[in-house]
Amino acid sequence: MACIERFLGRRVEIPEDLRYDPKQGLWARLSHEAHTFGLTEPALVLLGGFNGLNWLASDGDVVEKGASVVFAITGKILYIETPIAGTIQFNGRAKDQPSLVAEDPYGEGWLFKIRCPRPDTDAFLDAASYLQSLRSTEGFKNPEGLKGGVSGICKAVYTGIRGQKL
């Protein structure tokens, strides 16, 4: 298990037995029967938490690669796309109990499974490569999780707001 001790003020884990889609912050557990997908801990931190979700397809639908299948309410609005094509099955428990996604993202908090005879597994990164891809994110640039982040403009805005007398 790879860990980042200070990632936007939090400790996050990256299991080495999973594969990763860095564009969306998804992890993938690849198997012969169905490939399971969920949000990684670093993605959840960068998104500002997880509040709820809605399905944009139905269980048993055949979906194309890149189809939007989950509408997630995080600190931002997020549309999650399928990284592979196939027949989709959703995790009803994650919809009924959205806290599972944040509390157990690599276990009970998975989002969907896709049955696909031959997925393009080369599109997914291993844990070390995913960790490397995170180095350019706000999580690494702001390890303490300071409000206003590390950009000069954000710091100026937060400093200016703090100095105002309303």
Side-chain angles (χ1 to χ4, degrees):
M1 177 88 57
C3 293
I4 306 170
E5 292 300 328
R6 295 180 339 171
F7 187 82
L8 205 59
R10 305 253 326 262
R11 179 183 188 277
V12 294
E13 295 181 348
I14 302 169
E16 293 179 0
D17 63 331
L18 300 175
R19 305 295 280 176
Y20 298 90
D21 174 1
K23 178 184 169 200
Q24 299 188 89
L26 291 177
W27 58 263
R29 182 173 291 116
L30 305 176
S31 75
H32 296 292
E33 294 180 21
H35 313 292
T36 306
F37 298 91
L39 288 167
T40 66
E41 282 187 356
L44 289 164
V45 170
L46 290 170
L47 291 168
F50 192 85
N51 300 317
L53 55 89
N54 210 347
W55 310 135
L56 300 175
S58 299
D59 272 340
D61 282 357
V62 175
V63 295
E64 295 298 319
K65 178 179 179 178
S68 292
V69 293
V70 176
F71 174 77
I73 302 164
T74 66
K76 306 171 183 179
I77 299 297
L78 177 68
Y79 288 90
I80 299 173
E81 301 172 353
T82 57
I84 59 174
T87 304
I88 197 163
Q89 173 195 349
F90 293 101
N91 181 0
R93 287 191 64 212
K95 185 176 181 182
D96 295 338
Q97 297 175 286
S99 61
L100 281 176
V101 175
E103 293 167 4
D104 190 13
Y106 302 116
E108 295 296 317
W110 60 274
L111 298 175
F112 57 90
K113 293 182 180 186
I114 296 181
R115 292 187 189 285
C116 175
R118 278 178 263 152
D120 177 14
T121 58
D122 293 336
F124 300 105
L125 301 179
D126 61 14
S129 299
Y130 179 56
L131 177 63
Q132 186 63 34
S133 76
L134 292 170
R135 294 202 183 279
S136 63
T137 67
E138 184 73 12
F140 264 100
K141 292 177 183 176
N142 185 1
E144 301 301 326
L146 301 173
K147 290 193 187 255
V150 294
S151 99
I153 292 172
C154 287
K155 284 182 181 178
V157 169
Y158 274 93
T159 303
I161 290 170
R162 194 174 330 150
Q164 290 183 9
K165 296 191 192 261
L166 303 173

